[in-house]
Amino acid sequence: MGEVLSYFQNFLSKLKGGSIHILACLLVVLLAGPEIVLALELSALMEVMGASTFLLMHWYAFLAYIEPAVKKFKEFEGVQFFVPRLDDITSYPALLIHAVPGRSIALLFLLSLYLIIGVGVYSVVI
């Protein structure tokens, strides 16, 4: 064990100066693995595009990701669900009642009743 330690100390003494920093960077890259490449790419992308464009790109990617779920929700709600414009709401505040998703609210109400009854029965059994 002492021989290995002395060999390592001898190796480090030869690397005094700038080459020890290169070895440390190489060790960090080897330990971090492929994640460091991803971090470097994302930071370079932020430098080139700017923070607002970078966030805008990710926002639209998120919207594209959830678009199928939103379409399914609108199909489920049918013609009952729509989002009125702000000037329509200020003109006719009663229009907000039609913006409530009726089928989803009914399903959430039934689910909450099921959970309340289920938890109530479960607590009585215990």
Side-chain angles (χ1 to χ4, degrees):
M1 182 68 182
E3 182 178 319
V4 174
L5 186 61
S6 66
Y7 175 75
F8 186 67
Q9 287 175 345
N10 186 19
F11 178 71
L12 286 179
S13 67
K14 288 181 182 178
L15 286 177
K16 293 286 182 186
S19 56
I20 188 103
H21 299 293
I22 294 172
L23 182 66
C25 289
L26 184 63
L27 184 65
V28 166
V29 168
L30 288 176
L31 290 177
E35 288 86 10
I36 195 142
V37 176
L38 181 65
L40 290 174
E41 286 177 0
L42 287 176
S43 63
L45 189 62
M46 287 232 352
E47 287 293 326
V48 170
M49 293 173 38
S52 61
T53 311
F54 182 80
L55 292 176
L56 189 67
M57 178 185 69
H58 285 319
W59 173 251
Y60 280 112
F62 173 72
L63 289 180
Y65 180 73
I66 66 167
E67 184 181 8
V70 170
K71 282 184 179 178
K72 290 288 185 185
F73 177 73
K74 286 184 179 180
E75 281 179 19
F76 174 73
E77 283 298 327
V79 296
Q80 297 177 354
F81 181 70
F82 73 98
V83 179
R85 294 184 314 225
L86 186 60
D87 57 344
D88 293 337
I89 293 173
T90 55
S91 300
Y92 308 105
L95 193 61
L96 278 176
I97 194 66
H98 296 288
V100 175
R103 293 180 183 168
S104 299
I105 297 293
L107 280 177
L108 286 174
F109 176 70
L110 292 175
L111 179 66
S112 66
L113 284 179
Y114 175 75
L115 289 176
I116 289 169
I117 292 171
V119 170
V121 169
Y122 182 72
S123 63
V124 170
V125 172
I126 291 179

